[in-house]
Amino acid sequence: MTSTPGSGGPTAAPTPRPSDRPDPARQSARRRFSRAERLVHRTTAALMLLCVATAACLYVPQLAELVGRRYLVVTLHEWSGLLLPAPFLVGLASPSFRADLRRLNRFAPHDKQWLRAVRRRDFRPESRPAGKFNAGQKVYAGWLAGAVLVMLATGLMMWFTWLTPLVWRTSATFVHDWLSLALGLVLVGHIAMALADPQARRGMRTGSVERPWAEREHPLWEEEEE
């Protein structure tokens, strides 16, 4: 049987199944964090918040009276602080986590431009070029890593009192107390900035962000990967 001319036109093409059709939402999204990175962040955040909360209960008399059970609070504070580096160490098994660590540890000329724009309070996107992480995130990550190590070292001196002389323990207590206050203030700023940026929260919650946001806030991201 011969076909009528034109019968092999557009209607002859097979209709794609719904699962085969391109998803505009998926095409507009860009992968930012792997599952391992998100787990490291969440576990570290939980330990950090527990450490800060128990520290507040130990140093603020009103909270100490409200919570009570000082021995339990001290135990939770000590072990949450001791376990704080554990998610980082476990995360080193993930290639994506190690790759992002290398990005955070590498300062480029555009990072200096980003910091100068912050100092001048210049909010134009073109004046703040950034790769996957901007200069502020790199400074924050470096400061936080150093603060955690100092807090861990001084906390161990205060915990195992027989290992160090009295003058060391006194100095460790002074550094530990004031650095914990600074750490708490920095964490409040970090949380406030996250609350003000829904896409940043989405990236850490789901692992993906919208491409327009990535191109606006991190215009050098693709170039950095290449």
Side-chain angles (χ1 to χ4, degrees):
M1 179 178 177
T2 58
S3 60
T4 305
S7 62
T11 56
T15 303
R17 293 175 300 175
S19 59
D20 295 336
R21 294 172 185 169
D23 184 356
R26 185 175 297 177
Q27 287 182 337
S28 65
R30 177 155 193 202
R31 194 72 174 168
R32 183 160 176 82
F33 295 115
S34 67
R35 179 182 175 85
E37 290 175 291
R38 302 198 306 276
L39 286 174
V40 169
H41 182 269
R42 291 169 188 171
T43 311
T44 302
L47 289 170
M48 183 71 74
L49 289 176
L50 179 59
C51 199
V52 170
T54 51
C57 292
L58 292 173
Y59 285 96
V60 179
Q62 292 81 359
L63 291 177
E65 294 176 4
L66 181 65
V67 175
R69 305 191 67 177
R70 182 178 177 83
Y71 178 77
L72 175 61
V73 174
V74 170
T75 302
L76 288 174
H77 181 74
E78 291 173 342
W79 282 101
S80 60
L82 189 64
L83 293 173
L84 200 52
F88 173 88
L89 297 175
V90 174
L92 292 175
S94 167
S96 57
F97 183 71
R98 295 197 303 271
D100 277 350
L101 281 181
R102 287 192 291 270
R103 293 188 181 97
L104 285 168
N105 288 329
R106 185 182 303 118
F107 259 77
H110 62 259
D111 291 316
K112 298 178 182 178
Q113 180 182 345
W114 192 97
L115 292 173
R116 285 195 297 268
V118 171
R119 190 173 65 249
R120 295 194 299 263
R121 303 184 68 82
D122 185 351
F123 296 100
R124 293 174 302 164
E126 61 271 15
S127 65
R128 297 190 179 194
K132 185 174 183 178
F133 301 105
N134 61 44
Q137 292 168 325
K138 293 178 180 180
V139 170
Y140 170 76
W143 185 89
L144 187 64
V148 167
L149 290 177
V150 173
M151 293 289 287
L152 181 61
T154 54
L156 289 173
M157 291 183 191
M158 297 163 61
W159 191 357
F160 301 102
T161 55
W162 62 90
L163 294 179
T164 55
L166 177 61
V167 64
W168 286 23
R169 297 197 303 272
T170 304
S171 302
T173 303
F174 177 82
V175 172
H176 195 88
D177 290 351
W178 283 101
L179 186 55
S180 63
L181 177 60
L183 187 59
L185 294 175
V186 170
L187 288 176
V188 169
H190 177 71
I191 294 172
M193 294 183 69
L195 291 175
D197 194 341
Q199 278 300 308
R201 296 199 310 274
R202 174 187 168 180
M204 191 53 71
R205 187 179 68 255
T206 67
S208 299
V209 294
E210 293 181 358
R211 283 189 177 273
W213 178 87
E215 292 169 357
R216 182 181 68 252
E217 299 293 334
H218 302 272
L220 304 180
W221 185 356
E222 286 193 18
E223 178 183 338
E224 185 181 64
E225 288 185 343
E226 293 173 357

